[in-house]
Amino acid sequence: MTQKDITFVADFLTEHFNEAPELYNRKGKYFNVERVGQYLKDEDDDLVSPPNIEGNQWFSFLKNSTHLKESPLLFPYYPEKSLHFVKRQMEGVIDQCLQKPADVIGKSVHQAVCMSLYKTSQSEDSTPPLFKLPFLWNDKTSNIHYVLFTMLENSISKIHILRRHTDTSRSVSNGILAVDFGNFLNSSISESSDSRCYSCLDAHFYDDETVTVVLKESVEQEGKERVLAQLPLS
């Protein structure tokens, strides 16, 4: 801001925000904020009191710059319009920028495979979500996409791994498989599966060969409720 801008604001506050006790009991406004409020009106009409841009350093810089004066990278300035008008203009430009990529990407995407995971009832509102924890990983070395997820119905102790080749014309062995954590951490055969059964709280790929999972004991005991495990993908 220039000193002129600061002086203008100070003068405005002095002129329009003086105490006026005789007006306090009057209904309606007793402050003249038209110069501020005009910027906030959601309409396309011109401002009642447009700002004076003379002496503004930014506009002087643009005016004297041959390259920036007509640059399409700079958003145009509308000194006669409110902020709502400028906001709508900017939203329109952004939507226009995003539309072309959306069309191109949308036309390039096609279904490679369809796999039925579960069926829901006719009323989907009453059906609890059965699909949880989807995590995506791309192994660039072997060109394989992975998806980790769990199915909540009757298989909370399992994590499912879906594998697809990035080249949709090629297939991979064991396209989808499930890992059952159950009681695999039991230290001895004598431990019952009921007492130490695990379900998966979260799972992410640590790297191309390793999966990190957070397991929860079904029967909670102090100090043994959670387990962080690193599992080799092999």
Side-chain angles (χ1 to χ4, degrees):
M1 297 178 65
T2 63
Q3 186 61 42
K4 184 177 180 180
D5 295 328
I6 297 174
T7 304
F8 172 77
V9 173
D11 290 343
F12 173 78
L13 295 176
T14 303
E15 178 182 353
H16 295 289
F17 287 88
N18 286 331
E19 291 189 19
E22 69 278 5
L23 299 178
Y24 287 169
N25 295 325
R26 183 191 302 177
K27 290 185 178 180
K29 301 176 181 177
Y30 51 85
F31 288 137
N32 181 3
V33 293
E34 183 58 29
R35 290 187 181 181
V36 175
Q38 63 179 349
Y39 289 100
L40 307 177
K41 291 180 179 178
D42 192 5
E43 54 189 35
D44 293 340
D45 296 338
D46 290 349
L47 297 177
V48 177
S49 303
N52 181 12
I53 61 175
E54 184 180 350
N56 184 289
Q57 295 174 351
W58 172 247
F59 290 109
S60 299
F61 170 70
L62 290 182
K63 186 177 180 180
N64 297 325
S65 173
T66 307
H67 300 289
L68 290 178
K69 190 186 303 182
E70 305 296 332
S71 174
L73 300 178
L74 291 178
F75 195 80
Y77 177 59
Y78 303 94
E80 307 290 332
K81 299 297 183 180
S82 71
L83 295 178
H84 279 283
F85 176 86
V86 176
K87 176 176 176 286
R88 285 196 300 273
Q89 293 290 320
M90 182 172 288
E91 286 174 341
V93 172
I94 293 174
D95 289 342
Q96 186 179 5
C97 290
L98 297 178
Q99 187 59 46
K100 186 68 175 179
D103 292 341
V104 173
I105 294 173
K107 292 176 182 177
S108 66
V109 173
H110 64 277
Q111 179 178 300
V113 63
C114 180
M115 194 173 297
S116 178
L117 297 178
Y118 60 86
K119 293 183 180 180
T120 61
S121 61
Q122 293 295 327
S123 176
E124 293 190 2
D125 294 337
S126 61
T127 304
L130 302 178
F131 187 74
K132 186 186 175 186
L133 249 174
F135 178 77
L136 307 177
W137 180 266
N138 177 234
D139 183 350
K140 294 182 173 61
T141 304
S142 56
N143 296 324
I144 293 179
H145 284 306
Y146 289 91
V147 183
L148 297 180
F149 62 92
T150 56
M151 305 291 292
L152 302 185
E153 190 179 61
N154 300 325
S155 59
I156 58 174
S157 65
K158 295 180 182 178
I159 181 171
H160 297 75
I161 304 177
L162 172 66
R163 303 198 305 171
R164 294 291 303 176
H165 203 286
T166 53
D167 182 355
T168 55
S169 63
R170 300 177 59 184
S171 61
V172 295
S173 60
N174 296 326
I176 184 169
L177 54 84
V179 179
D180 190 345
F181 295 106
N183 57 357
F184 86 115
L185 290 179
N186 289 358
S187 58
S188 67
I189 301 176
S190 62
E191 291 185 80
S192 66
S193 59
D194 294 334
S195 63
R196 304 215 28 208
C197 187
Y198 295 88
S199 59
C200 185
L201 288 178
D202 200 2
H204 280 204
F205 267 82
Y206 181 76
D207 55 29
D208 289 342
E209 291 84 27
T210 312
V211 177
T212 302
V213 294
V214 179
L215 303 175
K216 173 186 176 182
E217 245 182 306
S218 57
V219 180
E220 294 194 354
Q221 304 172 26
E222 186 177 354
K224 296 183 179 180
E225 294 87 9
R226 304 290 186 271
V227 176
L228 180 68
Q230 299 261 182
L231 303 178
L233 194 61
S234 57

